[in-house]
Amino acid sequence: MFLKILLNYIIGYVRISIEGYYIERFINICTNNNILIWNLKRKNNIKMHLNCSISNFKNIVKIAKQTKCKVKIERKKGIPFILNRYRKRKIFLILLMLVCIAIFISSNYVWNIELKVEEDKEVAGIKEDLNEAGLVIGMRKSNIDTKEIVNKIRLKREDIAWIGIEQEGTNVIVKLVKADEKPEIINQEEYCNIVSEKEGIITKINAQNGTAMVKVGDTVQKGTTLIAGWMEGKYTGIRYVHSIGEIEAKVWYTKTKKVYYSEQQEELTGNEEKKYSIKFNNFKINFHKGVSKFKIYDTIDEEKKFKIFSNFYLPISVVKTTNLEKNVIQKQHTIEEAKDLGIKDLEQQLEKEISDKESILGKNVNTYERDGYIEVNVTYEVLENIGTNEKIVF
């Protein structure tokens, strides 16, 4: 039954109304003559709606006359009638067919690569590495070798703890877990010294295993041995050990900056211009002139890819380019203003480098007036553990 109805949709059918006092007789005659009618809906005792094929319509008209019923065509349905409706729009139909074919073909390719990193951490250069590993936009989905790509990324990137690749539509989702940076751990059974990571003045030393080579108040350089990986006993002589201990020292973080009394600064005027272009994969069509009307400006590009469903991307995207106009102004600073600007900037830079703010012991600021500028020097004195393990190589 279903196949017959589907076939009638392909060749065309009509929705008709039958009105008369002998509707039951009409239906019985159609059934006895193997005339297919479906989707019957009776409106009242003398009227009914039903579907029939185009080929059977003439026979139904004869049966209606025989049973003294009236026949009226309400709607014409099926592919022949649709084509007839758009017969004057051949270009539209051709374009529609071409679009459907293009979408079908493009569904076999990758048109978007989405990165999902745990805790939204930044993984620099990962897109370039994925491209080198064989995952590129425009490639056939059947050519993606997930196992090979994952192995290449793991071999190249030590900062990636886990990577997974999923395909959804024309979108490839790359899930990443970034590895935590860990210091090199030397096995407890291996001999090692504890050496200084940076220059400083020793304030505390506690050698739990090994021989202390410095004392409180000593100034040490980077690489100086603080606790040696050996011990000497009266009866045992010299024996090598894995050094263990705690060494604190005063260290210094220093930065210098020149601040000119007269300097050029750029500021946004509030004027902007927007330009648009369309990209077909790597081919770009601009709908604007290449040169901006602004002399000095910042440019912001935003690309939005077309997609039919949530993960069915197309190789088409719209690029919006926004140019923000800027003016160059000549800014004059007094000596005090230049000094304050320099100190504030250097303090912000230094405090970003110091992880433990409570370890800051003091701050020293020096300024030197020069011809046309002031030189600012800021130094933070910080208490830190400066020891790190270094394996003893014989």
Side-chain angles (χ1 to χ4, degrees):
M1 181 71 175
F2 173 76
L3 292 175
K4 289 183 178 180
I5 294 172
L6 180 61
L7 179 62
N8 279 302
Y9 179 80
I10 295 172
I11 63 177
Y13 69 93
V14 289
R15 179 75 172 169
I16 62 175
S17 63
I18 304 293
E19 189 173 357
Y21 292 101
Y22 305 102
I23 293 178
E24 288 81 3
R25 187 181 173 197
F26 168 84
I27 295 173
N28 289 333
I29 294 173
C30 288
T31 304
N32 292 333
N33 286 278
N34 294 320
I35 296 174
L36 178 65
I37 55 176
W38 70 95
N39 198 14
L40 285 72
K41 289 185 179 179
R42 192 157 189 166
K43 189 174 182 180
N44 49 48
N45 291 332
I46 61 171
K47 191 171 184 179
M48 177 177 285
H49 303 277
L50 55 89
N51 295 339
C52 70
S53 65
I54 296 172
S55 58
N56 286 326
F57 180 70
K58 289 182 180 180
N59 294 329
I60 283 177
V61 171
K62 290 179 182 179
I63 296 171
K65 287 181 180 180
Q66 183 181 343
T67 56
K68 297 180 182 180
C69 293
K70 293 181 181 178
V71 180
K72 184 180 178 181
I73 297 176
E74 294 182 338
R75 290 190 299 275
K76 298 177 181 179
K77 293 187 176 183
I79 293 175
F81 298 113
I82 293 173
L83 294 175
N84 184 61
R85 191 183 309 161
Y86 292 101
R87 66 185 182 278
K88 294 181 181 179
R89 302 181 186 179
K90 292 181 180 178
I91 296 176
F92 170 78
L93 285 173
I94 292 169
L95 288 175
L96 182 62
M97 291 177 65
L98 289 174
V99 168
C100 292
I101 293 169
I103 290 174
F104 175 75
I105 294 172
S106 67
S107 65
N108 296 308
Y109 294 84
V110 175
W111 298 119
N112 189 63
I113 298 174
E114 182 181 353
L115 294 177
K116 289 186 178 180
V117 186
E118 188 184 48
E119 298 179 358
D120 296 326
K121 294 180 180 179
E122 186 177 348
V123 183
I126 187 63
K127 286 188 176 180
E128 292 77 8
D129 290 339
L130 286 169
N131 290 343
E132 289 180 12
L135 182 60
V136 294
I137 290 176
M139 70 181 299
R140 288 185 67 90
K141 293 192 294 184
S142 58
N143 292 337
I144 297 175
D145 190 336
T146 302
K147 188 175 180 180
E148 183 181 357
I149 294 169
V150 168
N151 288 337
K152 285 183 178 179
I153 295 297
R154 283 177 174 172
L155 288 171
K156 186 172 184 179
R157 304 286 300 241
E158 294 182 356
D159 58 340
I160 302 296
W162 179 85
I163 177 172
I165 299 174
E166 297 177 2
Q167 295 183 42
E168 294 185 9
T170 59
N171 186 33
V172 173
I173 302 171
V174 180
K175 297 180 180 180
L176 299 166
V177 177
K178 193 172 182 182
D180 295 326
E181 294 184 8
K182 297 180 180 180
E184 183 183 358
I185 298 174
I186 298 176
N187 194 298
Q188 291 288 334
E189 296 179 358
E190 294 185 294
Y191 306 138
C192 70
N193 300 320
I194 296 179
V195 299
S196 175
E197 286 186 306
K198 56 187 71 175
E199 181 182 351
I201 297 176
I202 303 297
T203 58
K204 177 184 176 182
I205 183 164
N206 178 20
Q208 298 173 23
N209 199 28
T211 302
M213 304 299 290
V214 294
K215 59 182 182 297
V216 173
D218 286 353
T219 300
V220 297
Q221 304 297 320
K222 183 177 180 179
T224 300
T225 301
L226 306 174
I227 300 176
W230 56 267
M231 298 179 72
E232 185 174 5
K234 184 176 180 180
Y235 301 104
T236 59
I238 295 175
R239 60 187 178 89
Y240 291 94
V241 296
H242 182 99
S243 295
I244 301 173
E246 182 183 359
I247 305 96
E248 282 187 352
K250 288 190 290 186
V251 298
W252 299 271
Y253 290 80
T254 301
K255 284 191 179 294
T256 302
K257 181 178 181 178
K258 294 178 181 178
V259 182
Y260 290 87
Y261 303 133
S262 178
E263 62 178 353
Q264 289 185 340
Q265 290 185 350
E266 295 180 346
E267 62 177 17
L268 295 173
T269 64
N271 297 325
E272 62 179 44
E273 60 180 359
K274 294 180 180 179
K275 299 180 178 182
Y276 295 89
S277 56
I278 289 183
K279 284 179 68 177
F280 297 89
N281 198 12
N282 294 322
F283 181 72
K284 189 175 182 181
I285 300 175
N286 294 321
F287 296 105
H288 57 82
K289 294 181 180 179
V291 180
S292 172
K293 64 181 181 181
F294 302 140
K295 291 184 178 179
I296 304 172
Y297 57 91
D298 281 337
T299 300
I300 301 172
D301 286 329
E302 298 177 71
E303 183 175 351
K304 186 175 182 180
K305 294 188 175 182
F306 280 97
K307 58 181 180 180
I308 302 176
F309 308 110
S310 60
N311 283 297
F312 196 100
Y313 287 83
L314 298 175
I316 307 170
S317 60
V318 174
V319 180
K320 182 175 77 172
T321 301
T322 305
N323 293 329
L324 306 174
E325 186 185 29
K326 297 195 297 185
N327 276 342
V328 177
I329 59 173
Q330 200 70 25
K331 188 76 174 179
Q332 300 291 332
H333 301 299
T334 63
I335 295 175
E336 289 302 316
E337 286 175 342
K339 187 186 299 184
D340 291 341
L341 284 171
I343 293 172
K344 186 177 179 180
D345 184 40
L346 293 178
E347 285 179 345
Q348 290 176 349
Q349 293 181 42
L350 288 167
E351 287 175 9
K352 284 182 181 179
E353 294 182 12
I354 301 169
S355 56
D356 185 8
K357 304 298 185 293
E358 295 181 359
S359 65
I360 299 174
L361 300 176
K363 176 178 68 176
N364 185 38
V365 178
N366 292 308
T367 58
Y368 307 95
E369 294 182 23
R370 309 296 187 193
D371 187 17
Y373 67 91
I374 188 168
E375 187 176 313
V376 183
N377 179 282
V378 178
T379 300
Y380 275 35
E381 188 176 69
V382 182
L383 188 65
E384 286 186 359
N385 188 334
I386 63 169
T388 185
N389 289 340
E390 182 182 72
K391 189 176 178 180
I392 297 174
V393 180
F394 295 96

